[in-house]
Amino acid sequence: MTSLENPPGKVSHFFPLTGDWKNCAGYGIKGVFDIYTQALSKVELSGPTFFAPMFQEINKFTVQSVKQDPDNYTVLLVITDGSIHDINRTIDEIIAGSELPLSIIIVGVGDADFTKMK
């Protein structure tokens, strides 16, 4: 995926939809959807689908966020049109973050084989 902050043609598997790490929070359902809608016009989707690097980064992000404010809670919404290509590493990263104040929501879009996401 080409992100909002990457140069054209540079792929990133993890970035804030706002394009700004210091201002990447969406408040409430409307806030999240507003950010997502805005980002859709600025990113280009591509594959293959690697989740492990993204989950590793969200774990680090969540640890730092809780250090700043112990009441912080992270919700990662992943919208994907492809099946996971690094399932074993992804499982390891999910386990590594399982005790963090973090929820991961994965939404599969399209007709790809999403059975590994269960």
Side-chain angles (χ1 to χ4, degrees):
M1 180 178 295
T2 302
S3 80
L4 303 172
E5 59 189 20
N6 282 348
K10 175 115 168 98
V11 174
S12 173
H13 294 282
F14 182 69
F15 57 89
L17 287 179
T18 61
D20 180 1
W21 282 109
K22 294 178 180 154
N23 183 24
C24 61
Y27 298 96
I29 299 296
K30 182 179 180 333
V32 171
F33 279 106
D34 288 348
I35 291 169
Y36 179 74
T37 301
Q38 179 184 14
L40 276 178
S41 66
K42 299 178 182 178
V43 297
E44 180 182 326
L45 303 177
S46 65
T49 304
F50 294 109
F51 281 7
M54 174 179 53
F55 289 168
Q56 184 177 39
E57 290 299 318
I58 201 67
N59 288 345
K60 291 178 194 175
F61 175 87
T62 302
V63 167
Q64 291 303 316
S65 177
V66 171
K67 284 181 182 176
Q68 292 175 2
D69 182 347
D71 291 330
N72 281 347
Y73 190 90
T74 301
V75 177
L76 174 64
L77 173 61
V78 180
I79 301 173
T80 182
D81 63 349
S83 61
I84 302 173
H85 287 80
D86 59 347
I87 190 69
N88 292 330
R89 285 190 56 222
T90 296
I91 291 169
D92 291 344
E93 290 302 329
I94 291 171
I95 291 168
S98 65
E99 295 192 22
L100 295 172
L102 166 66
S103 290
I104 299 169
I105 302 165
I106 303 172
V107 178
V109 178
D111 58 1
D113 179 7
F114 298 113
T115 55
K116 290 181 182 178
M117 293 187 198
K118 293 180 181 180

